[in-house]
Amino acid sequence: MPGRNWYRAGALVCLSALSSCVHSRQAAAPKIAPPARQVSTAELSGQVARQYQAVSDFKATVLLSATLGQLNGSPVKRYPAIRGYLLFRKPTDLRLIGLQPPFGNRLVDLVSNGHQFRLSLPSKKRFVIGQDDVKALSSNQLENIRPLHLQQALLPQPVDPATETATLENPGQRAGYTLLVMRNSPSQDRRPARTLWIEGATSRVARELIFDDAGKILTDARYSQWLEDDGVIFPRHIEIDRPREAYRLVIQIQKIEINHGLSNEMFELEQPPGAQLEVLSDPGAPPQHVSPLR
């Protein structure tokens, strides 16, 4: 399938976004600061919501590294870190630009609107379009890396009272708090939507697990180095594990501008002259219609 060849070139590029081995990890609580005082579920949920709502957009200079883990017996592959830019605007606009050392030529340019992505690989003269999420895994592991995974993990989202119910745990032997978020269901068989481990001293999220409808882990995200920029507290270090697709992304933010406003043009990407168009579909799925992002 022509669209699949892009990932062998492109994922080596976008995959140049992570470094550290991907392996299955137990959902053990991270080491976090002990609580300064007892808080209620409502207080803690409110703090998570305030941290999320404080950011409407950002533009960051980042170092990206990636690791492709074992899937169907394939060996672990680590990719060196690359420098680039990450742009995000709520609710789902995302742009990732990777630069090739040492001269900073554009190696990869990725734009996503939360449903469809466009990827330009200038050195390969390829322009790839695909869906933001993948339902059926491809035998080519690089094809399973999608922008939606990154977009969902950039910041922990607040509890949605219409669809979720949160409860707070704080075992005496464990530092910090554990916020359990369950999916609302008419039956009593409720299943977890997310679990957040939160520092007691700062009420900042240290780790978040996101589950699928069957209760299996989709995303294991870790946040650290929370610093203030433009009056907003934001994590400078983000690690994203996707056990199902067996890969790991690491984002180290070097510089960030928050809530400065990002225009529509910053999230537009057209097919360059001379670039070959490729459409990437899920295995067994019918060919998708190529539509404009806006």
Side-chain angles (χ1 to χ4, degrees):
M1 177 178 206
R4 311 243 170 173
N5 294 331
W6 97 260
Y7 251 85
R8 296 180 182 260
L12 294 177
V13 167
C14 262
L15 250 190
S16 290
L18 279 127
S19 163
S20 269
C21 187
V22 172
H23 51 80
S24 49
R25 296 202 247 177
Q26 298 296 322
K31 295 180 180 179
I32 53 181
R37 64 180 183 86
Q38 295 297 317
V39 299
S40 67
T41 301
E43 286 179 294
L44 209 56
S45 297
Q47 179 62 26
V48 173
R50 285 189 292 274
Q51 289 173 351
Y52 178 80
Q53 293 163 357
V55 179
S56 60
D57 60 69
F58 68 79
K59 177 181 179 181
T61 302
V62 299
L63 280 179
L64 303 172
S65 59
T67 300
L68 194 62
Q70 293 183 352
L71 182 65
N72 299 326
S74 62
V76 171
K77 296 181 181 179
R78 299 179 180 86
Y79 298 86
I82 61 169
R83 182 173 174 270
Y85 302 99
L86 179 61
L87 288 73
F88 174 72
R89 183 179 65 177
K90 286 181 178 176
T92 55
D93 286 329
L94 180 76
R95 186 165 194 169
L96 175 63
I97 299 173
L99 305 177
Q100 185 172 17
F103 303 112
N105 296 330
R106 192 164 296 197
L107 185 63
V108 59
D109 195 344
L110 171 70
V111 169
S112 165
N113 62 4
H115 303 287
Q116 183 187 84
F117 73 83
R118 294 187 172 200
L119 175 67
S120 177
L121 304 170
S123 64
K124 304 295 182 181
K125 295 187 181 300
R126 284 185 166 88
F127 189 76
V128 184
I129 294 179
Q131 296 302 307
D132 262 12
D133 198 9
V134 56
K135 303 302 181 184
L137 294 182
S138 168
S139 58
N140 179 359
Q141 290 178 272
L142 297 177
E143 294 183 8
N144 298 322
I145 301 175
R146 300 298 172 99
L148 184 64
H149 307 162
L150 175 60
Q151 181 267 325
Q152 289 177 333
L154 285 175
L155 271 178
Q157 297 191 12
V159 177
D160 181 0
T163 60
E164 298 175 327
T165 299
T167 58
L168 180 61
E169 290 189 351
N170 185 25
Q173 292 78 17
R174 179 179 294 172
Y177 304 103
T178 304
L179 193 65
L180 305 178
V181 183
M182 307 295 290
R183 290 184 176 87
N184 294 339
S185 170
S187 68
Q188 295 184 350
D189 183 24
R190 294 192 304 164
R191 295 187 176 181
R194 295 178 289 144
T195 298
L196 293 89
W197 283 283
I198 300 171
E199 293 179 346
T202 64
S203 296
R204 294 170 192 157
V205 177
R207 183 181 181 188
E208 179 181 35
L209 296 180
I210 301 175
F211 302 95
D212 65 12
D213 292 338
K216 295 181 180 179
I217 296 175
L218 286 176
T219 296
D220 184 351
R222 298 173 187 245
Y223 309 89
S224 59
Q225 300 176 23
W226 289 80
L227 299 173
E228 183 174 331
D229 292 277
D230 296 317
V232 178
I233 300 294
F234 196 90
R236 291 291 187 105
H237 187 83
I238 303 172
E239 301 178 15
I240 303 170
D241 279 336
R242 292 282 302 189
R244 178 174 176 261
E245 295 84 5
Y247 75 84
R248 187 184 195 202
L249 303 175
V250 178
I251 305 169
Q252 182 66 48
I253 296 177
Q254 299 179 315
K255 181 181 178 181
I256 189 169
E257 296 178 354
I258 302 176
N259 299 337
H260 284 211
L262 300 177
S263 65
N264 289 341
E265 289 74 17
M266 293 182 175
F267 298 96
E268 293 177 354
L269 182 61
E270 298 299 329
Q271 181 178 348
Q276 178 183 350
L277 175 64
E278 301 175 9
V279 179
L280 186 68
S281 300
D282 284 353
Q288 59 178 281
H289 173 64
V290 178
S291 60
L293 280 181
R294 300 197 174 281

